[in-house]
């Protein structure tokens, strides 16, 4: 099994889920006592969050690029950024190393297409929902992406940063998210992308009238499949101009 490099800590709540999922998928594929070969570089999310708010994405990108270089030096055969939002700097991170970066949006788009759906609602941070770096990549893969209205986007973003990233899961927030999902479905969404890795702590298949696509789970599953493939060349790389 090739070694999976994880850039995590954004937040550590969802990074812990990545670790669990990687090991569960490896066990399911190989059986017995098998677990995933992986290396984790966990950043300080408080530092990253401040750079996000201030729009200092280049500085944030350099922090993650340095993390990727450390993972490669530690023996990683691929890199995963364990957060949707920070894929805004995926091109910088991918260019910093000679190993492939497995893009979260690509793994998600592949799962949506495999399901036979095309029109999807996207939940995530305001950065992920409103900017083009993530939505544009999904649309380039042939998906029709819908996002909540302004009030819905504000609610989804607030719950992520003020609750889920702190490990707080509230029933009131689940109910509020369900209303946002219902509105997206009414607007034509055939499925819902949980486009923030923390949302999976709050929303599951039973909370939506249409299929949900949990991005952390899909990313981890794709990483294990790549790690168990024949060679490093089998791992889908992110183009430098993502």
């Amino acid at each position: 099994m090739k070694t999976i490099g994880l850039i995590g800590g954004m937040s550590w709540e969802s990074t812990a889920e990545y670790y669990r999922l990687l090991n569960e998928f490896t066990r399911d594929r190989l059986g017995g006592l098998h677990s995933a070969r992986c290396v984790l570089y966990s950043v300080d999310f408080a530092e990253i969050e401040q750079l996000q708010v201030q729009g200092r994405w280049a500085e944030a990108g350099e922090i993650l690029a340095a993390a990727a270089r450390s993972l490669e030096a530690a023996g990683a055969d691929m890199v995963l950024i364990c957060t949707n939002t920070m894929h805004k700097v995926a091109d910088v991170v991918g260019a910093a190393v000679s190993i492939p970066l497995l893009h979260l949006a690509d793994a998600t788009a592949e799962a949506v297409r495999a399901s036979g759906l095309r029109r999807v609602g996207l939940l995530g941070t305001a950065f992920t929902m409103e900017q083009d770096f993530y939505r544009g990549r999904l649309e380039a893969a042939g998906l029709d992406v819908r996002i909540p209205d302004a009030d819905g986007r504000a609610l989804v973003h607030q719950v992520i940063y003020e609750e889920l990233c702190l490990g707080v899961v509230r029933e009131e927030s689940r109910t509020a998210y369900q209303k946002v999902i219902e509105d997206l479905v009414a607007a034509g969404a055939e499925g819902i992308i949980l486009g923030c890795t923390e949302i999976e702590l709050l929303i599951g298949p039973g909370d939506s009238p249409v299929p949900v696509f949990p991005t952390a789970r899909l990313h981890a599953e794709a990483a294990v499949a790549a790690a168990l493939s024949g060679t490093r060349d089998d791992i889908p790389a992110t183009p430098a101009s993502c």
Side-chain angles (χ1 to χ4, degrees):
M1 183 177 188
K2 290 182 283 295
T3 300
I4 302 167
L6 306 170
I7 303 177
M10 302 167 285
S11 66
W12 70 261
E13 296 282 347
S14 63
T15 302
E17 283 296 294
Y18 263 88
Y19 183 70
R20 179 182 65 82
L21 290 165
L22 288 172
N23 284 291
E24 287 182 352
F25 287 133
T26 301
R27 178 200 62 201
D28 293 345
R29 291 280 295 268
L30 300 180
L33 297 176
H34 285 288
S35 55
R37 294 183 183 274
C38 60
V39 182
L40 169 64
Y41 190 113
S42 188
V43 303
D44 181 358
F45 190 33
E47 180 181 6
I48 298 296
E49 189 269 342
Q50 282 300 303
L51 294 175
Q52 290 176 343
V53 170
Q54 296 166 10
R56 296 160 60 189
W57 294 100
E59 293 174 59
E62 284 306 315
I63 292 172
L64 268 60
R69 287 190 289 267
S70 294
L71 291 171
E72 183 174 24
D77 295 297
M78 71 189 82
V79 174
L80 278 65
I81 303 172
C82 300
T83 163
N84 288 272
T85 297
M86 291 311 295
H87 277 73
K88 183 175 175 70
V89 298
D91 55 343
V92 175
V93 177
V97 292
S98 62
I99 56 178
L101 185 149
L102 187 61
H103 201 291
L104 199 159
D106 293 345
T108 300
E110 183 176 349
V112 174
R113 291 197 307 267
S115 75
L117 304 182
R118 190 176 70 87
R119 292 190 305 275
V120 289
L122 173 62
L123 303 181
T125 67
F127 310 110
T128 299
M129 291 185 289
E130 296 172 0
Q131 298 183 22
D132 189 58
F133 70 91
Y134 194 86
R135 287 173 54 194
R137 198 172 183 102
L138 295 173
E139 289 166 352
L143 303 185
D144 178 356
V145 182
R146 320 286 175 92
I147 61 174
D149 61 19
D151 288 343
R153 296 196 303 272
L155 171 95
V156 170
H157 181 91
Q158 180 181 7
V159 169
I160 291 169
Y161 280 94
E162 296 183 9
E163 297 177 21
L164 300 179
C165 286
L166 299 173
V168 176
V169 178
R170 300 173 64 241
E171 285 302 320
E172 297 90 337
S173 296
R174 179 176 287 111
T175 299
Y177 265 52
Q178 288 173 323
K179 177 60 168 62
V180 174
I181 290 171
E182 290 171 1
D183 290 345
L184 286 169
V185 172
E190 303 167 315
I192 302 294
I193 292 175
L194 307 182
C196 174
T197 52
E198 283 81 16
I199 294 178
E200 293 164 57
L201 304 175
L202 181 68
I203 296 296
D207 298 308
S208 170
V210 296
V212 296
F213 296 90
T215 53
R217 173 173 288 273
L218 295 172
H219 203 197
E221 188 171 21
V224 169
L228 294 175
S229 64
T231 68
R232 180 184 288 179
D233 292 337
D234 295 328
I235 303 170
T238 293
S241 59
C242 74

